[in-house]
Amino acid sequence: MRTNRRTLLGLMTGALLSTSAVAQDVTLRLHQFLPAQANVPAKILDVWADKVEADSDGRIKIDRFPSMQLGGTPPQLIDQAIDGVADIIWTVAGYTPGRFPQVEVFELPFISTSAEATSRAYWELAEERMMDTDFADFKPLGLWVHGPGLIHSSRPITDVADLNGLKLRAPTRTTTTMFTSLGATSVGMPVPAVPEALSKGVIDGAVIPWEVVPALKVQELVGNHTEFGDATLYTTAFIFAMNSGVYDGLPDDLKAVIDVNSGLEFSAFAGRTMQEYDAPGREMAVAAGNNIITLNPDQVAAWQAASQPTIDAWITEADGAGIDGAGLYETAKALIAKHSSDN
């Protein structure tokens, strides 16, 4: 039903575009869940949109709708791209748990290195095996992850046992599974809901990267931040996607504009940019006088050992779904290692 609806919308869009073929001007609606001034919209999505507009000599115009201004909730964004509510969306893959099973491999504990290396691996693995499976209903424009995720909490967290009883916001199915297994009460919610949930005591902490701290003012809502040294406790996979019918209805030269600005290098840029903005977020917590806990290698090793069952359970579940879980995990690690050595 969804594919048929998408095909119909694509045909309708193509017909509309053909009626204006003389000018061949196209307006695309870009919808996402963060305020316009947040780092991803301002430093990544706007950069992409401005470049597309410029490269098309103004024939493509991209209207930007932040903070869910076209309606709906963040978990509905991917269906908005498929169904034509929006032409382009940016979302968190994990906002629709289980829908992108192969993507989850990049969200497993301690698999990521730098955001750029992992984002390159994410796009390459997607091209190899996800475009006709996880992403068959839309056209991916960029696939990336953020920098090292960490724990922001009302009380200090050093040892795994410190999580016991902590109500902790987690962004994805894999992180929810991990933190539940480690003793926390995991609460899934989109990131825009975090400030209110913290201020009202619905949660005692959140796992997010430093990059998003300023937009959410997390440094004002909690006093403790637990870092994992050179390791990455977790990361989150993002999807920047376009309605397939809208893309297919574009003239070939405008398709080329979209294509040249999308893909591997854009994904790497997006991941790298997100991690670059971790530093200002951390500086705000330091300036606020907050307690920043940086775990030593032995402490990190204890967390890695404690989180291994989450990886094992995911592999078993993937195998049961007809996916070679162990093979996918090893391939993802190898791609991340390759791109980490390149940097």
Side-chain angles (χ1 to χ4, degrees):
M1 179 67 71
R2 179 177 295 139
T3 300
N4 290 339
R5 183 167 64 246
R6 185 193 69 191
T7 302
L8 177 60
L9 286 166
L11 291 172
M12 291 170 62
T13 302
L16 289 171
L17 288 171
S18 66
T19 62
S20 59
V22 175
Q24 293 184 331
D25 290 342
V26 179
T27 298
L28 302 175
R29 297 158 298 161
L30 193 166
H31 197 205
Q32 53 87 23
F33 57 89
L34 286 179
Q37 67 273 19
N39 288 326
V40 170
K43 310 299 183 182
I44 298 172
L45 304 183
D46 281 349
V47 171
W48 181 89
D50 291 346
K51 185 74 161 44
V52 166
E53 289 179 339
D55 288 357
S56 70
D57 294 325
R59 291 168 55 210
I60 296 177
K61 181 177 185 296
I62 299 179
D63 290 340
R64 301 101 192 263
F65 296 91
S67 302
M68 302 304 300
Q69 287 179 354
L70 291 180
T73 62
Q76 295 171 329
L77 279 165
I78 199 64
D79 281 322
Q80 290 186 356
I82 294 167
D83 296 339
V85 174
D87 303 308
I88 301 170
I89 62 90
W90 172 65
T91 191
V92 174
Y95 282 173
T96 47
R99 186 157 179 180
F100 305 107
Q102 297 180 95
V103 173
E104 289 182 343
V105 70
F106 292 105
E107 299 176 333
L108 291 172
F110 296 103
I111 192 173
S112 183
T113 55
S114 73
E116 178 175 355
T118 305
S119 297
R120 287 184 180 275
Y122 180 12
W123 181 270
E124 284 195 358
L125 192 59
E127 281 200 315
E128 178 183 323
R129 58 186 296 167
M130 298 182 201
M131 295 305 184
D132 295 327
T133 53
D134 293 46
F135 303 146
D137 289 336
F138 50 84
K139 178 176 176 58
L141 302 175
L143 304 168
W144 69 88
V145 303
H146 61 58
L150 63 149
I151 302 170
H152 310 264
S153 53
S154 57
R155 67 175 190 244
I157 304 296
T158 301
D159 300 322
V160 173
D162 295 333
L163 290 175
N164 288 334
L166 189 79
K167 294 176 292 184
L168 190 66
R169 177 265 179 181
T172 64
R173 193 177 76 96
T174 48
T175 51
T176 298
T177 299
M178 176 178 69
F179 284 110
T180 298
S181 72
L182 297 182
T185 300
S186 298
V187 182
M189 66 178 65
V191 74
V194 167
E196 182 177 5
L198 282 172
S199 64
K200 291 185 175 181
V202 174
I203 55 176
D204 305 311
V207 285
I208 54 175
W210 281 117
E211 174 271 328
V212 79
V213 162
L216 303 181
K217 299 183 179 179
V218 170
Q219 79 283 359
E220 300 175 9
L221 298 169
V222 301
N224 301 278
H225 313 269
T226 303
E227 299 178 320
F228 288 76
D230 294 331
T232 298
L233 173 65
Y234 84 97
T235 190
T236 299
F238 300 102
I239 299 172
F240 186 47
M242 186 171 183
N243 177 279
S244 293
V246 171
Y247 174 81
D248 291 341
L250 293 175
D252 287 345
D253 59 339
L254 294 188
K255 286 181 185 175
V257 170
I258 297 292
D259 291 345
V260 77
N261 285 288
S262 306
L264 176 64
E265 292 304 324
F266 171 69
S267 300
F269 158 78
R272 180 174 65 250
T273 300
M274 284 196 79
Q275 186 160 352
E276 285 173 353
Y277 281 91
D278 282 344
R282 189 181 193 279
E283 289 167 5
M284 293 185 74
V286 172
N290 289 2
N291 178 31
I292 297 179
I293 302 161
T294 302
L295 303 186
N296 63 44
D298 288 341
Q299 291 170 320
V300 171
W303 283 80
Q304 289 173 318
S307 64
Q308 184 62 42
T310 296
I311 299 171
D312 297 339
W314 183 87
I315 290 172
T316 299
E317 183 180 3
D319 288 343
I323 300 169
D324 176 10
L328 185 61
Y329 180 63
E330 293 302 324
T331 299
K333 286 203 303 181
L335 285 171
I336 292 169
K338 179 187 79 169
H339 290 298
S340 299
S341 65
D342 291 344
N343 293 342

